[in-house]
Amino acid sequence: MYAAIFIAALLSGCASTGDWSSDIPTKASSKSSKATRVNLKNQSVSKIYAPSDNLWLRIRDGFQMEAMNTPLEIEQVRWLSARPAYVHRSMARSSKYLFYIVQEVHARNMPTEIALLPFVESAFVTNAKSSAKAVGLWQFMPATGKAFRLTQNVFRDERRDVVQSTDAALDYLQRLHKQFGSWELALAAYNWGAGNISKAQKRNAAAGLPIDYESLTVPRETRNYVPKLMAYRQIVLDPQAYGIILPELENHPYFVAIELDSDIDVALAIKLAEIPADEFHSLNSSFNKPVILSNANQQMLLPFAHAEIFQEHLKQYNKPLSSWTAVQIRKTESVDQAAKTLGVDVDTLREVNGIPKGMRIRAGSTVIIPKTSRRPGDVPTAIAENASLSLEKPAPAVPKCPKSAKGAKHGAKPVKCAAPTVSKGNSSVKNAASQHKSASTTLANSAKNGNAALTSSSSASKRANTSQ
């Protein structure tokens, strides 16, 4: 069983250049992290070190943006300095993720101010969700997440995945920087949308006005967006001046990424790693179900020490790693009917799949069920990558029309009921097909128009501010 799971670390070795590097090749997959990996089977985590032992120094050294020194920035600095407990909590949360983000920012030659952006977006809460349905450290909207290949299905939401969402956010920001030519405008476009920033620039240009960030007419949230980031920059530069104490952060990776070759239950992974459940979930917020899938290119993140414990316990574990599998529902039916068809407990089916009472499961949906001797294997790739769950309310029952009763009173109020079906050739089939085609065309046009609108504007324009 141990051989079925390969362990790799999102770490880097120390090179003579004074920066992190390694000659170990990365996995040739577009979904893999670009960070270098170390194999725990033959390399020791304890022997890996960094040129500096203070991550804050490394962040300061990488600052490239100019301080704005505007009233808005001063106002944001005052707001943060008046709330040291809030700042300390978000800084402490960042300790799990900040090294990885700084490492990726540095690898792309981006200003390290960008690594501070999750403070503004989510206060470093990995499962943060805004009222506009933006999710994760980087607050991706569903459509923008899909545009940057962040999987969102029954099993996982990669908008909450630290590694994948960081990669997508930095891709997005680099694209915006290339489009607008400044980081201030790129950040504003990340918040309000590239299309909106372009329109604001055109309006200014037509009026003979400058088109830089501070000259544009933008919503209040976007106007405050860059000053908020620059306020965090000021605090990192000189925390004592604002009465803030930064937590100690080592210039060292916090977590290890484990690639799985067999499905494993979340509960078992927590047990084998001897890690508190809340710590596990803070690093693995993308998992939606009680099983981690090997055929979905999922990575499980663990702190160094717990990764080594997991490795040792896994060698000795000789029982099945997973107790869950997944199947597709062939026809639309109630939860009770589906449970009977699948031979599983109805309450278990409803609870693990989050199905409210009174809802039916639509055909083609994927549901999680306990493994049985009939279904012993891991969840196949096709389901792992494309699983969706669609529910509907059952149609209200319509009473059949009763036969005319003798002695019925004349003028009695008629009862609404279903008329008997009369077959006349294939007309009913043709009408149904015609209606289906019309509805499909309308939905397709609606979806096309909606997607166009989402593509033209940034996901972040619909975000609710989660940082204050």
Side-chain angles (χ1 to χ4, degrees), residues 177-403:
H177 180 257
K178 183 177 180 180
Q179 179 178 351
F180 293 105
S182 85
W183 285 112
E184 289 79 8
L185 285 170
L187 289 162
Y190 188 86
N191 177 257
W192 192 32
N196 289 326
I197 293 296
S198 293
K199 290 176 184 177
Q201 286 186 318
K202 289 177 181 178
R203 286 193 294 268
N204 273 29
L209 298 173
I211 59 171
D212 60 287
Y213 167 71
E214 293 187 61
S215 300
L216 299 182
T217 300
V218 299
R220 182 178 178 180
E221 180 184 329
T222 307
R223 172 61 58 222
N224 288 321
Y225 191 71
V226 178
K228 284 181 182 179
L229 178 63
M230 300 307 287
Y232 277 102
R233 178 185 187 274
Q234 286 299 109
I235 286 175
V236 171
L237 271 175
D238 191 3
Q240 292 182 349
Y242 306 103
I244 301 293
I245 300 175
L246 298 180
E248 292 185 8
L249 294 185
E250 294 183 357
N251 188 24
H252 190 291
Y254 181 87
F255 55 74
V256 172
I258 301 176
E259 295 180 349
L260 305 173
D261 284 340
S262 292
D263 294 358
I264 184 170
D265 290 351
V266 169
L268 178 59
I270 292 173
K271 180 180 178 180
L272 294 180
E274 295 185 1
I275 185 173
D278 58 348
E279 170 81 348
F280 179 90
H281 290 297
S282 70
L283 289 171
N284 299 281
S285 295
S286 63
F287 301 153
N288 292 333
K289 297 301 176 185
V291 60
I292 307 169
L293 306 185
S294 59
N295 289 322
N297 198 24
Q298 289 181 275
Q299 295 177 329
M300 178 174 67
L301 305 185
L302 293 174
F304 288 156
H306 292 285
E308 292 178 326
I309 293 171
F310 177 85
Q311 182 180 26
E312 291 303 314
H313 285 178
L314 189 63
K315 290 178 182 178
Q316 305 166 18
Y317 196 80
N318 56 11
K319 297 179 182 179
L321 294 177
S322 170
S323 58
W324 300 95
T325 187
V327 295
Q328 282 190 318
I329 301 298
R330 295 183 178 180
K331 62 179 181 179
T332 301
E333 55 189 357
S334 68
V335 178
D336 289 346
Q337 291 169 328
K340 186 176 181 181
T341 301
L342 297 170
V344 299
D345 176 68
V346 63
D347 291 333
T348 299
L349 181 63
R350 179 175 282 114
E351 182 179 353
V352 74
N353 291 283
I355 305 173
K357 289 187 177 181
M359 299 297 287
R360 301 202 312 166
I361 308 171
R362 286 181 175 172
S365 292
T366 296
V367 293
I368 314 300
I369 61 173
K371 276 186 176 179
T372 64
S373 57
R374 291 170 51 201
R375 304 182 183 91
D378 289 342
V379 176
T381 302
I383 293 181
E385 292 290 356
N386 303 298
S388 64
L389 176 62
S390 182
L391 307 175
E392 68 176 21
K393 290 184 178 180
V398 180
K400 293 183 179 180
C401 289
K403 294 180 179 180

Side-chain angles (χ1 to χ4, degrees), residues 397-437:
V398 180
K400 293 183 179 180
C401 289
K403 294 180 179 180
S404 299
K406 291 183 179 180
K409 294 183 179 180
H410 179 71
K413 187 176 181 180
V415 178
K416 289 184 179 181
C417 55
T421 303
V422 179
S423 176
K424 187 176 181 181
N426 294 325
S427 61
S428 61
V429 176
K430 291 180 180 178
N431 288 339
S434 175
Q435 293 172 4
H436 175 73
K437 182 177 181 182

Side-chain angles (χ1 to χ4, degrees), residues 66 94 144-145 154 167 182 200 211 214 234 290 294 302 339 387 420 455 461:
E66 295 292 333
S94 76
T144 310
V154 164
D167 195 44
S182 85
I211 59 171
E214 293 187 61
Q234 286 299 109
S294 59
L302 293 174
T455 303
S461 64

